[in-house]
């Protein structure tokens, strides 16, 4: 072998992340890199693990997270996120996370906009006074290695760009403002950010017209990095929103990643029968389009996203000032009932009975319960309850929306263009179980039990496909010279245990996780290893 081996995984079934058939092989690790050996090759190592009867796969890549702030120091006296919140991805085999999704990242910003942006990020991430950064280098420097269990890469959030240049005004950018956004994006991508993301249902991103996004996506295209979008509507107008995304990709030349593709709300159920073939036609016509999906029929987001966009114009402070006024609440009620052009209107497409509180620090009794029930108990209208809750929490409330249908989820999971992303929102309270269960759920429930897709293709959607999409060179595959990010699991027993009642329960059947050549999980339990790093995509 030449180099002394640090680790040898002997006797396992290699599922290499390419989609190729599994085969028996031994996997050796030296200096953080992999060598694949024929099964039974004589070799010695500092540590030898017998993994007979188990699968050895690349460490999983979660392409869609909101974990940007989990490794950022929050300052003295500020409660740190609990260990089970930090460890949930690692314990299901995730060795790399891509954050900065849905238009919100911790960077970049003009220096003078940082205080205003910080308040927006506090509400979005909900784990303390999060500090935004002026660029990707500053973001990377602000990550605490002692808190980094796995690797992280980050997109540039368009909403952060917009807020960091022009604040939270509902208007088109001036030419100098658009130039400033493009320059900040160009710099961040040059420093190693993984692409551009938008969240076109969230202020301030929702205030942007198509032309603004095209201009920014052209910058991403010059760097060979993707445009990643939470569509402007995933409900009744999902098909037109998808057309906008395809137009942006075609005009800019950027690869397109459709985030957490879904057709939610009663007016969109079954629309995957049209959206998925549309994506395949676009790809056949030369658009580099892919998507990601999480394996649940419920989503999760911030509560204030249930309100019409005008309510958030001017930022968090302006939102909170408005919510105490009766005329504002009456207008919100009317807009939910009748709709607003260009607005997704989650409640109008479903109802408050489908929305549960996930995190509200001062109201833990509300966590896990539906808004309609909470309002009824108090004898108040749901809009009044929501406004009062947002005021009490200074805007910092997360919700879970039970808005999808199982057949739509299954179609996207099985489709040829999809990869797996948890869309995890790691906040205290009762977060969505997808943060702790997505990858084990695909392997166990959908691949093994439901036979929706073969094991090799499931692993490819979690490793090789996302690595190629996001330019994560040397990751996502088990081959000679690759980064030694690995997961060992039992294909016969792997399953998710996280539920909406107990959302952070670790999965079963995932015994060993290796991060950068170091054993980070042994026998299903985390070790003291902290080998994760900020990944720069060049």
């Amino acid at each position: 072998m030449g180099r002394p081996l640090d680790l040898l995984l002997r006797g396992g079934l290699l599922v290499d992340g390419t989609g190729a058939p599994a085969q028996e092989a031994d996997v050796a690790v030296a200096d953080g890199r992999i060598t694949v050996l024929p099964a039974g090759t004589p070799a010695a190592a500092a540590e030898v693990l017998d993994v007979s009867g188990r699968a050895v796969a690349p460490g999983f890549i979660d392409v869609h997270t909101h974990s940007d702030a989990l490794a950022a120091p929050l300052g003295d006296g500020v409660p740190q996120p609990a260990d089970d919140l930090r460890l949930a991805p690692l314990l299901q085999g995730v060795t790399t996370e891509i954050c900065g999704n849905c238009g919100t990242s911790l960077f970049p910003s003009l220096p003078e906009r940082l205080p205003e942006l910080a308040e927006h990020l506090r509400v979005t991430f909900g784990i303390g006074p999060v500090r935004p950064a002026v660029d990707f280098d500053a973001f990377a420097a602000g990550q605490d290695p002692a808190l980094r269990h796995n690797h992280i890469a980050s997109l540039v959030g368009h909403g952060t760009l917009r807020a960091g240049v022009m604040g939270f005004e509902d208007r088109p950018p001036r030419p100098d403002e658009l130039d400033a956004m493009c320059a900040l994006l160009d710099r961040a991508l040059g420093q190693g950010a993984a692409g551009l993301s938008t969240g076109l249902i969230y202020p301030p991103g929702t205030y942007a017209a198509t032309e603004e996004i095209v201009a920014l996506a052209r910058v991403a295209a010059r760097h060979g990095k993707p445009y990643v979008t939470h569509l402007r509507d995933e409900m009744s107008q999902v098909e037109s929103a998808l057309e906008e995304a395809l137009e942006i990709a075609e005009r800019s030349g950027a690869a397109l990643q459709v985030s957490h593709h879904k057709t939610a709300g009663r007016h969109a159920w079954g629309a995957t029968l049209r959206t998925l073939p549309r994506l395949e036609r676009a790809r056949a016509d030369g658009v580099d389009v892919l998507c990601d999906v999480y394996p649940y029929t419920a989503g999760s987001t911030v509560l204030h996203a249930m309100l019409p966009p005008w309510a958030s114009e001017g930022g968090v402070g302006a939102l909170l000032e408005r919510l105490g006024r009766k005329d504002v609440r009456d207008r919100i009620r009317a807009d939910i009932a009748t709709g607003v052009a260009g607005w997704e209107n989650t409640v109008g497409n479903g109802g408050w009975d489908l929305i549960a509180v996930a995190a509200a620090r001062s109201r833990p009794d509300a966590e896990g319960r539906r808004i309609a029930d909470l309002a009824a108990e108090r004898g108040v209208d749901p809009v009044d309850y929501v406004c009062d809750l947002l005021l009490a929490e200074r805007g910092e409330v997360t919700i879970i929306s039970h808005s999808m249908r199982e057949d739509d989820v299954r179609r996207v999971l099985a489709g040829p263009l999809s990869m797996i992303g948890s869309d995890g929102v790691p906040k205290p309270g009762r977060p969505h179980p997808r943060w702790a269960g997505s990858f084990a759920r695909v392997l166990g429930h959908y691949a093994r039990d439901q036979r929706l897709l073969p094991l090799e293709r499931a692993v490819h959607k979690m490793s090789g496909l996302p690595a190629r999409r996001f330019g994560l060179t040397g990751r996502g595959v088990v081959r000679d010279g690759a980064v030694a990010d690995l997961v060992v699991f039992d294909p016969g027993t792997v399953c998710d245990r996280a539920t909406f009642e107990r959302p952070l329960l670790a999965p079963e059947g995932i015994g060993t996780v290796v991060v950068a050549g170091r054993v980070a999980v042994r026998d299903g339990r985390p070790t003291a290893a902290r080998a994760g790093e900020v990944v720069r995509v060049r």
Side-chain angles (χ1 to χ4, degrees):
M1 289 281 308
R3 296 174 297 174
L5 298 181
D6 301 313
L7 177 66
L8 179 63
L9 303 177
R10 188 181 290 285
L13 184 69
L14 177 60
V15 186
D16 68 5
T18 67
Q23 59 178 330
E24 293 183 359
D26 296 340
V27 178
V29 175
D31 296 332
R33 297 285 170 170
I34 290 169
T35 301
V36 179
L37 305 174
T41 299
E47 181 174 7
V48 179
L49 297 179
D50 182 355
V51 294
S52 301
R54 282 160 283 177
V56 179
F60 303 140
I61 298 169
D62 189 340
V63 300
H64 194 106
T65 80
H66 297 278
S67 60
D68 309 51
L70 277 185
L74 300 180
D76 295 338
V78 178
Q80 299 291 323
D83 283 346
D84 55 357
L85 202 61
R86 294 186 193 279
L87 288 165
L90 185 70
L91 293 175
Q92 58 173 322
V94 173
T95 57
T96 303
E97 299 172 32
I98 298 175
C99 65
N101 281 283
C102 295
T104 301
S105 55
L106 295 190
F107 66 93
S109 174
L110 298 175
E112 61 269 24
R113 290 284 188 182
L114 288 172
E116 180 182 11
L117 182 57
E119 181 69 356
H120 170 66
L121 295 177
R122 174 191 65 78
V123 169
T124 301
F125 291 107
I127 57 171
V130 180
R131 300 185 184 94
V134 294
D135 61 12
F136 180 85
D137 280 349
F139 162 76
Q143 297 284 301
D144 185 348
L147 302 176
R148 186 83 265 150
H149 295 277
N150 55 9
H151 308 301
I152 190 169
S154 183
L155 304 165
V156 178
H158 160 253
T160 296
L161 265 177
R162 203 175 208 271
V165 170
M166 56 182 291
F168 293 83
E169 297 183 41
D170 183 0
R171 62 172 176 82
R174 301 188 307 265
D176 63 303
E177 291 171 330
L178 184 57
D179 288 346
M181 283 191 273
C182 289
L184 287 172
L185 174 61
D186 182 68
R187 180 178 179 182
L189 295 174
Q191 292 171 334
L196 168 69
S197 80
T198 56
L200 298 180
I201 73 162
Y202 301 113
T206 190
Y207 305 143
T210 304
E211 291 294 331
E212 178 181 328
I213 311 301
V214 170
L216 292 165
R218 284 179 177 141
V219 179
R222 289 201 300 270
H223 286 265
K225 295 180 178 180
Y227 166 57
V228 182
T229 182
H230 180 144
L231 299 174
R232 204 176 289 274
D233 196 315
E234 296 177 316
M235 293 189 156
S236 60
Q237 301 302 312
V238 62
E239 292 174 76
S240 61
L242 186 59
E243 291 302 325
E244 180 191 31
L246 291 168
E247 177 189 346
I248 291 166
E250 291 168 354
R251 292 175 58 191
S252 69
L256 173 63
Q257 180 79 10
V258 179
S259 294
H260 43 57
H261 184 44
K262 65 175 77 75
T263 55
R266 61 182 183 273
H267 300 300
W269 287 338
T272 53
L273 290 168
R274 299 182 296 277
T275 61
L276 293 173
R278 177 67 182 100
L279 291 176
E280 293 184 39
R281 289 197 306 274
R283 190 165 181 86
D285 290 340
V287 179
D288 184 2
V289 58
L290 296 169
C291 66
D292 51 77
V293 59
Y294 50 83
Y296 297 87
T297 57
S300 182
T301 189
V302 288
L303 178 58
H304 64 78
M306 303 298 99
L307 308 181
W310 57 261
S312 294
E313 185 179 2
V316 174
L319 168 70
L320 297 179
E321 188 280 327
R322 290 186 183 104
L323 292 185
R325 292 164 39 193
K326 181 179 182 302
D327 62 316
V328 167
R329 297 184 181 198
D330 288 343
R331 184 180 171 189
I332 291 170
R333 266 186 282 272
D335 284 352
I336 289 173
T338 62
V340 174
W343 174 44
E344 185 174 78
N345 193 7
T346 298
V347 179
N349 280 282
W352 290 113
D353 58 315
L354 300 182
I355 297 173
V357 176
R361 287 182 188 273
S362 71
R363 290 293 312 279
D365 57 305
E367 293 173 352
R369 303 195 58 206
R370 308 289 177 111
I371 297 275
D373 294 337
L374 291 164
E377 284 180 4
R378 287 156 182 77
V380 300
D381 182 87
V383 169
D384 290 315
Y385 178 85
V386 164
C387 292
D388 289 341
L389 183 61
L390 286 168
L391 286 170
E393 298 293 315
R394 296 178 57 224
E396 199 175 307
V397 183
T398 311
I399 57 96
I400 292 172
S401 175
H402 296 267
S403 58
M404 288 168 271
R405 215 166 61 177
E406 176 70 11
D407 58 341
D408 286 314
V409 173
R410 289 172 61 90
R411 284 189 201 102
V412 184
L413 278 169
L417 304 185
S418 65
M419 60 193 75
I420 308 304
S422 71
D423 196 11
V425 184
K427 294 185 180 182
R430 290 197 186 181
H432 195 300
R434 64 193 183 187
W435 179 239
S438 289
F439 292 81
R441 184 170 177 79
V442 171
L443 292 171
H445 178 68
Y446 285 106
R448 182 192 61 236
D449 299 342
Q450 298 292 315
R451 299 184 180 181
L452 185 65
L453 65 170
L455 175 65
E456 293 89 346
R457 189 145 65 93
V459 169
H460 178 58
K461 287 173 176 280
M462 302 174 176
S463 55
L465 184 58
R468 188 168 71 244
R469 162 54 94 211
F470 289 96
L472 301 176
T473 305
R475 302 176 193 273
V477 291
V478 180
R479 62 165 62 116
D480 290 353
V483 176
D485 295 336
L486 299 161
V487 57
V488 179
F489 62 93
D490 184 340
T493 64
V494 63
C495 65
D496 62 304
R497 296 194 306 140
T499 65
F500 290 100
E501 292 72 33
R502 301 184 67 189
L504 295 177
L505 286 177
E508 292 182 356
I510 297 178
T512 303
V513 182
V514 179
V515 178
R518 298 176 61 189
V519 177
V521 174
R522 189 189 308 277
D523 298 325
R525 297 177 179 274
T527 70
R530 299 289 188 276
E533 63 179 10
V534 176
V535 177
R536 295 178 186 267
V537 180
R538 301 297 190 183

